[in-house]
Amino acid sequence: MAREFNPEDYIGMKILSSGGQYVGEIGSVFALTGEKHGEGLIAAVSPHRQLGEKLTLWVTVPLEGASMHAGGKLTVPYRVEQVHTSPAFSYTPEALDVSVARKILAHYGKDPSDAPDLAENTLITPLRPLKQDNPEEGQYIPGIMAWQLSTEEAGWAQAAQLVGLGMQLSGHHTLLKEWEVDARELLLPRLDALGEIRIEDAAGKAIAELGLPLEVDGLTSSAKLKPEERVAHQQILWWECQFNNHGAARGAALVLLLLGLSAPHEVVRVTSASELLRLSEKSIPLIELLRSGCLSDSHTVREISVNALARIEEEHQFVKEFQNTEHEPGPEAPSHSSITIHGTWAAFNSWWQPNSELSAHIRGTCSPDLWNAPNSFTWAGGYNNAARQRAASRLRTWTANNRIRELKCVYAHSHGANVALESALEGVQTRLLVLLHPAIVRRTVIETDRILRRVGRILAFCTRWDIVILSDRAIRFFPSLDPRIEVVYNGWFDHSRFTKRDVWERLEIADKVGTEMQMVDPNFPYPEPATDSEPPTDSEPPTGVS
């Protein structure tokens, strides 16, 4: 920085990484008292959300060595990954604590011995409050702040981070890349896979290295920890996951999961059990905890629980009661051409049934022809790809029996989306496919092209960082840049948000469906080509969420 240092000049400037990627906007500046140069200058990037009157979770970036450009832009000499994983404040401090300043400098590869000087600083803030970007898409609590609070919202945020930690410990880093935008916004720590290391060994090492008064065997006992002790331990463990200062990041993540089994929030308990079940041998306490989760009032908690149980062969008898919604066609009725397709474990959610509130809303707004007869389409809701393929064949037969040349609109939830997509591969024509929380099986380019020849348009509604889909290692939507596909994101974590009538009314989803229907190509359905090669069989094995 060649010119004279004026901290106020940097407020509102856009920060770019060394690679030219946008990092954020400078919301305030920590400046050395009386200094007229850039040494020790640290900017706080605009906050992620607002909590009451306080601006929360500021990301810090040293500005020493930065270069200024015209147009209010500043390039810092750090990779974008360094900035995204930098230390964050849970509130706006008046000055930098020495220990925090050391962590900031160490994170950016600078000499921590400069940290004491940074304690003698002043906070330069804008004259007017920063504009807050807090859209209707929903609330979330990122980073360490999730572990500092005990609210219900904090519980969901903790569960979200535990899923992300578990994904990495189990080696699913490639899948995590498909959720990278959400992961960065949640300030998710990054870990290596656990590999062949025993959970007890890794967790024990972390406890010893961090000097925590815990024992591995007693981590699941809530009686041994007071609420304030739990919060204190969680913060220490999260910092280790984020910075790996003691070389025990993986073990710290495991301790967080083990502590989660006795957490006060149900979603944290079942998420921890689900992730630990992937990393360890079958455990009766984990199974019992997940069984109790199947009776939860939360749709998302129930699905996390039963999905985890269904991965264990011995549990099939227990989970069967949540399937088998399939029925034989009733008396012949006048044919309609719009239908609903439920996902796995349809017993958990009645949105798809003809007499549900959502079905009535859809019939009264965007699809008056939505099927409302005894012989409506259903499938068994099995937790595997074979069951979904059988359902697709059943849908093809069902449309033929009801003399339906093409389905006008199909509303499909979760793995019901795969039933609809598989039916397209089998020849079923659909003008508009409305997907609600789709959990998509990977498909080849050839298969995707075949689907898009038999589907006029696709409108998908997704929540960000859907915990159910992530816990089962699925993708949110199949990759395609086709202009006939539109994806709408709203809300966080929930796997049933878009199956609720009040959400449809508040977000005016029916109007969006009507608009999409008008955008379907008037030439649809397209004529079938003379020959149609069989889809390849080397696609990635499917996963099974509801």
Side-chain angles (χ1 to χ4, degrees), residues 404-408 427-432 452-457 484 520-529:
I404 298 175
R405 179 171 175 263
E406 66 181 56
L407 291 167
K408 182 176 181 182
V428 176
Q429 302 273 5
T430 303
R431 295 188 66 81
L432 176 62
L452 292 175
R453 285 206 305 269
R454 292 161 181 160
V455 176
R457 291 185 69 85
R484 291 170 292 173
V520 175
D521 188 341
N523 294 320
F524 184 85
Y526 309 118
E528 290 289 332

Side-chain angles (χ1 to χ4, degrees), residues 118-259:
L118 290 177
E120 301 295 331
N121 61 64
T122 57
L123 174 66
I124 310 299
T125 57
L127 296 177
R128 60 184 183 277
L130 294 174
K131 179 182 178 182
Q132 294 300 302
D133 183 15
N134 189 18
E136 164 63 25
E137 66 172 346
Q139 297 292 328
Y140 64 98
I141 303 177
I144 195 171
M145 190 176 179
W147 304 96
Q148 296 173 328
L149 303 175
S150 300
T151 62
E152 187 69 22
E153 291 79 8
W156 282 92
Q158 292 171 21
Q161 290 199 37
L162 290 173
V163 169
L165 296 176
M167 288 174 65
Q168 296 171 83
L169 290 172
S170 61
H172 291 86
H173 294 83
T174 301
L175 176 62
L176 183 61
K177 290 181 180 179
E178 304 204 22
W179 299 77
E180 183 62 26
V181 173
D182 295 357
R184 288 181 178 179
E185 200 155 341
L186 291 171
L187 302 181
L188 178 71
R190 302 310 166 97
L191 308 170
D192 293 329
L194 184 61
E196 299 300 321
I197 304 174
R198 295 176 65 247
I199 288 179
E200 295 80 1
D201 295 339
K205 177 185 176 183
I207 290 172
E209 292 288 343
L210 299 173
L212 297 176
L214 300 171
E215 295 181 2
V216 175
D217 293 341
L219 285 177
T220 60
S221 174
S222 59
K224 294 183 179 181
L225 282 180
K226 297 178 181 179
E228 59 271 19
E229 292 175 330
R230 176 181 293 275
V231 170
H233 296 337
Q234 287 173 167
Q235 293 182 73
I236 293 172
L237 292 163
W238 187 90
W239 277 110
E240 179 63 16
C241 291
Q242 185 71 285
F243 298 108
N244 199 28
N245 290 330
H246 298 81
R250 291 178 296 182
L254 288 168
V255 177
L256 280 176
L257 285 168
L258 291 167
L259 282 175

Side-chain angles (χ1 to χ4, degrees), residues 27 241 338 498 530:
C241 291
S338 293
F498 295 107

Side-chain angles (χ1 to χ4, degrees), residues 515-536:
T515 300
E516 289 292 319
M517 184 63 72
Q518 294 176 7
M519 295 173 65
V520 175
D521 188 341
N523 294 320
F524 184 85
Y526 309 118
E528 290 289 332
T531 60
D532 202 0
S533 60
E534 290 299 316

